[in-house]
Amino acid sequence: MMKKKILAFVLAGTMLAMAGCGSKTADTAAETETTAAATTEAAADTTETTAPETDQKFTVGICQLVQHNALDAATQGFEDALKEKYGDNVTIDYQNAQGDSTTCATIVTGFVNNNYDLILANATPALQAAVSATTDIPILGTSITDYGAALNLSDFSGTTGMNVSGTSDLAPLDQQEKMILELVPDVKKVSILYCSAEANSKFQANEIEKYLDEDGIAYEEFTFADSNDLQSVVSSAVSDCDAVYIPTDNTAASNMTIVSNVTEPAGIPVICGEENMCKSGGLATLSISYYDLGYTTGQQAIRILSEGEDVSTMPIENAAATTKEYNASYAEAIGMTMPEDYTAIPDGE
């Protein structure tokens, strides 16, 4: 773009010099034309960085299941991608269901009634509510582990064939299982803890169990219906295990302090599905960036809104990089020395 600017100004100088040989009227006209060309060039450059790239206006609804750091980061990434592209030409209606699936349904029904251009469903219950509310408006999911499980698609192969696409927060579960063996080499039994109301948590639990079976490690599931019975379930989970595994589970993520209040005094290593859960009360995780996940979802939205891409054939995109991370204060509290290839989660994040 800098080369284009230089060329524009060179041409401008040439035109002015030529105009000097003619009449004053021609000179004025040449200056006007040159100024207009330079202004157009500068405007084009600004468009690429800050200004909206289209005169079209869009309204996008965001239904987020619950407020916690991972989902918040995904929403922020999504919003940033849209604002960078459209500026003030996109109106974003963000609503949080505060952990209530019924509220998700109410929120997305409002989006549908107002004929929004696109809906972002952040977390599985939000996605399920959006799918129940409309078959016409494009829906993008984020922070969804497995779309086949979330939408009960028996033949899911990467595209949904319906008005739904999005991004998956599924980290490599085989590698998470290997973390358990790496951090607790003499592990005999693992307690798997998750909310029974979250289909994607069940999916992850089943996958982890396959890998534990392959390594001959015993396990037991401990499920809770909501935060009210979480403490008693965690107490049961730590009574007979060497480690606890918690998948990416929204209810657990919002209540990790309850978990750590039981597991930390018991000296139990807790391996979590994502970074913010680990930071709030776990030992270690193989985590993705939820901000990057949301930003990628925003780019999908742009392809749908501006380029007319068919959401029904748009492949679900997965998280890119993963990082081995640990909670330094938890490690210290249970007397765990972490391997050198693990990165401590900064306190400020």
Side-chain angles (χ1 to χ4, degrees), residues 127-208:
L127 178 67
Q128 292 167 333
V131 169
S132 296
T134 179
T135 58
D136 299 318
I137 297 174
I139 299 167
L140 290 176
T142 193
S143 313
I144 312 294
T145 303
D146 181 77
Y147 283 76
L151 301 177
N152 196 27
L153 302 174
S154 58
D155 57 348
F156 177 68
S157 59
T159 57
T160 67
M162 51 199 297
N163 62 320
V164 177
S165 189
T167 54
S168 168
D169 62 357
L170 181 63
L173 295 176
D174 58 337
Q175 295 180 39
Q176 289 188 349
E177 189 265 351
K178 293 302 180 189
M179 290 182 73
I180 301 173
L181 277 65
E182 180 179 36
L183 297 175
V184 191
D186 58 349
V187 60
K188 299 292 189 298
K189 184 177 180 181
V190 176
S191 289
I192 301 172
L193 180 70
Y194 65 93
C195 178
S196 58
E198 298 196 30
N200 277 307
S201 298
K202 176 62 176 174
F203 168 81
Q204 293 172 82
N206 290 342
E207 292 299 304
I208 283 289

Side-chain angles (χ1 to χ4, degrees), residues 76-345:
Q76 189 62 59
F78 179 82
E79 291 182 349
D80 287 352
L82 292 187
K83 287 295 184 180
E84 286 173 14
K85 175 70 175 180
Y86 300 121
D88 292 337
N89 282 353
V90 62
T91 299
I92 297 175
D93 182 358
Y94 165 82
Q95 297 190 44
N96 193 301
Q98 303 301 325
D100 186 0
S101 297
T102 302
T103 303
C104 285
T106 302
I107 291 170
V108 296
T109 297
F111 295 163
V112 173
N113 289 342
N114 287 300
N115 197 30
Y116 284 3
D117 296 295
L118 184 140
I119 295 171
L120 175 72
N122 193 346
T124 299
L127 178 67
Q128 292 167 333
V131 169
S132 296
T134 179
T135 58
D136 299 318
I137 297 174
I139 299 167
L140 290 176
T142 193
S143 313
I144 312 294
T145 303
D146 181 77
Y147 283 76
L151 301 177
N152 196 27
L153 302 174
S154 58
D155 57 348
F156 177 68
S157 59
T159 57
T160 67
M162 51 199 297
N163 62 320
V164 177
S165 189
T167 54
S168 168
D169 62 357
L170 181 63
L173 295 176
D174 58 337
Q175 295 180 39
Q176 289 188 349
E177 189 265 351
K178 293 302 180 189
M179 290 182 73
I180 301 173
L181 277 65
E182 180 179 36
L183 297 175
V184 191
D186 58 349
V187 60
K188 299 292 189 298
K189 184 177 180 181
V190 176
S191 289
I192 301 172
L193 180 70
Y194 65 93
C195 178
S196 58
E198 298 196 30
N200 277 307
S201 298
K202 176 62 176 174
F203 168 81
Q204 293 172 82
N206 290 342
E207 292 299 304
I208 283 289
E209 289 167 7
K210 293 177 185 177
Y211 299 122
L212 290 171
D213 281 333
E214 291 176 2
D215 288 323
I217 307 299
Y219 55 82
E220 184 175 355
E221 291 188 4
F222 291 85
T223 63
F224 52 93
D226 52 40
S227 60
N228 294 323
D229 61 344
L230 180 56
Q231 182 170 344
S232 62
V233 172
V234 177
S235 296
S236 298
V238 302
S239 64
D240 181 29
C241 74
D242 303 300
V244 169
Y245 174 76
I246 311 176
T248 51
D249 183 285
N250 293 299
T251 307
S254 300
N255 295 278
M256 285 302 295
T257 300
I258 296 175
V259 175
S260 63
N261 283 344
V262 178
T263 58
E264 187 177 301
I268 300 295
V270 178
I271 286 75
C272 302
E274 56 93 9
E275 178 187 84
N276 288 292
M277 293 173 68
C278 182
K279 178 184 176 182
S280 300
L283 172 65
T285 184
L286 183 71
S287 185
I288 66 168
S289 165
Y290 275 80
Y291 178 88
D292 291 346
L293 194 72
Y295 193 93
T296 297
T297 318
Q299 293 175 319
Q300 290 179 310
I302 290 167
R303 301 206 307 269
I304 293 168
L305 296 172
S306 292
E307 301 171 22
E309 186 165 340
D310 184 355
V311 66
S312 69
T313 60
M314 177 181 284
I316 303 299
E317 296 189 36
N318 292 88
T322 54
T323 306
K324 285 183 174 181
E325 297 178 308
Y326 75 99
N327 181 331
S329 61
Y330 194 98
E332 181 179 2
I334 68 171
M336 175 77 74
T337 300
M338 301 300 294
E340 292 184 357
D341 60 336
Y342 282 69
T343 302
I345 301 172

Side-chain angles (χ1 to χ4, degrees), residues 75 185 267:
T75 290

